Amino acid sequence: MSSQKKYTTLRLILGDQLNRNHSWFQRKDDDVLYVMMEVLTETSYVRHHIQKVLGFFAAMRAFARELERAGHQVLYLKLDDVRNLQSFPANLQWTVAEHSILRLEYQEPDEYRLDVIMREFCDSLESESHMVSSEHFLTEREDLSEFFKGKKTYIMENFYRDMRKKHELLMQSDGQPVGGRWNYDVENRKKIPKTHRPPEPLLFEHDLSQLHDMITHAGVETLGTVDAQRFTWPIDRKESLELLEFFVRDLLVHFGTFQDAMTPEYWALYHSRLSFALNTKMLSPKEVVERVIEAWEADKETIDIAQVEGFVRQIIGWREYMRGVYWAHMPSYAEKNFFQHDRKLPEYYWTGETSMACVSHAVKQSLEYAYAHHIQRLMVTGNFALLAGIDPDQLDAWYLGIYIDAIEWVEITNTRGMSQFADGGIVGTKPYVSSASYMHKMGHHCSGCRYDHKKKVGEDACPFNSLYWHFLDRHRDRLAKNHRMSMMYRVWDRMDRTDKQDIIAQAEHHLEHLEEL
Ligand code: FAD
């Protein structure tokens, strides 16, 4: 680290820009100072899970060390550094002056908030400034809005097929999808048999107790738990690649099949847990899908196309798509509240203390691991919040805080869009709502639950059931014209009038006593 040395160029690296293969690092340049910083503005814009704060800082520190080892000049400001002014603009201003910087370069931030901060800072700067690509995504920020120009709903499937063609992934030479189909969802999504044992997840062991102490002493308010002496997430590229290899070797074979399965016994099942490594850019989406396709090509006897296609769809489809939706609709996306929901997020989202076994398990698991898989996020905590009419602002803050992979561009689009339909149907063609029958069909929670998944009314009736019909009934004016909902309205309309009244009364009782469920 240097104090008075002069550099021509300052290059800022944000905490989620740990892309070792970025063209910046291909050449050593004594005139370039790389700057990384841990700042309180980033730890406090929402209450984060302790594993998320530890994971980001540990990965940033490992990245800075790697750059230094490779001969680059790095100024790394730790959270407790006396020089640290605790915000990007303040620290940058100081560094630019201290080193007489002539040019500031930064990679495009993925968050709208940081994009604005950086633009405003650069406007105020006398030195030259320049934003470059983060060289991570397969699409540019504006590609998706161009693709869907003039459309109200952005059908992900159309975008995904275009991506497959453009990037020649799982395509035949005649331009048709490999295997003749674009989508193998019908073969996927099975309940996990009770006797089935998935592999133990690959966990790393980092002693981050010092870092943990520093975060605590700095007064950073966090949630969730951690064994700081055995931090389990990958914190550098080498470990991220190991996790990818583990996925390819042990998990890919059943990834699609059990993608939607839920069980209280296993927290990771066949999910890759690569989202943290991907979102911090320690891995690139391209290399991940290429490795998965390569593994399938090498062993088609064991791994069937349905598993591989299902995985590729998540990465080049959903992930890129969500980023595109974000840039097409921010900042107004963060205000969207189609149903005008405004109920307070129940306390058990922070503790897991509820008698609903599926919600309790999803929350407790999230507090313990900073992780829940997609169906837990969508069909358990998300579904319940939507049925109960929870304020999307509060829900966003919860999802943004609790998961190690949560960065706004991918969190808010999944939460407001996919999960809460708060965008009125940009991401989804209909709300993802279900009664307890889905929980029972896909998971093992209902058998150990105090509530009966078959009952709609009564003291032991599963709250998901009456709340489901209450949701449909109260939003009839907004949803009845949606042809994908019409069948459910027909079912509701055919129900006996007294039964319907009982269901509505039951749901209203639940809503009045939401904290007691
Ligand atoms: P796998 O099941 O192994 O999937 C592989 C990869 O596909 C993931 O790592 C991820 O990069 C990508 N992927 C899968 N589904 C999606 C999706 N819907 N959107 C974008 N990428 C996807 N994902 C985040 O990365 N950060 C978030 O903050 C986040 N918040 C979410 C909030 C809600 C309400 C919902 C319903 C989903 C959210 N997701 C988020 C999407 C998804 O649930 C996670 O990407 C996934 O659970 C991460 O675990 P995994 O790596 O084991 O994923």
Side-chain angles (χ1 to χ4, degrees), residues 255 271-275 278-279 311 314-315 318-319 322 371-374 377-378 399 405-407 410-411 414-415 418-419:
F255 172 80
H271 294 276
S272 68
R273 291 182 299 114
L274 286 169
S275 49
L278 275 163
N279 294 353
F311 187 80
Q314 305 309 317
I315 308 256
W318 282 111
R319 189 169 184 271
M322 289 307 195
Y371 177 87
H373 62 72
H374 186 66
R377 300 185 201 197
L378 183 66
Y399 279 108
D405 55 33
I407 306 183
V410 57
E411 175 280 320
N414 269 292
T415 303
M418 184 188 276
S419 154

Side-chain angles (χ1 to χ4, degrees), residues 471-481 489 492-493:
F471 170 85
L472 291 187
D473 193 53
R474 75 178 183 265
H475 293 307
R476 186 167 202 133
D477 56 336
R478 291 185 172 88
L479 296 174
K481 282 196 223 92
Y489 279 105
W492 179 234
D493 291 341

Side-chain angles (χ1 to χ4, degrees), residues 23 40 44 95 181 195 391 434 464 513 515 517:
S23 54
L40 284 176
S44 64
T95 319
R181 281 161 56 191
T195 51
D391 177 353
S434 81
F464 276 84
H513 299 88
E515 295 288 354
L517 293 176

Side-chain angles (χ1 to χ4, degrees), residues 53 269 294 355:
V53 182
L269 291 165
E294 182 189 55
S355 300

Side-chain angles (χ1 to χ4, degrees), residues 356 358 435-437 439 446 449-467 506 510:
M356 295 178 286
C358 55
S435 64
S437 65
M439 251 43 89
C446 298
C449 187
R450 136 162 157 53
Y451 294 111
D452 186 336
H453 69 93
K454 293 191 289 305
K455 290 194 180 163
K456 296 186 189 66
V457 290
E459 205 263 321
D460 61 342
C462 175
F464 276 84
N465 291 333
S466 56
L467 288 176
Q506 175 71 78
H510 286 323

Side-chain angles (χ1 to χ4, degrees), residues 424-437:
I426 297 169
V427 164
T429 48
K430 74 172 190 50
Y432 275 97
V433 279
S434 81
S435 64
S437 65

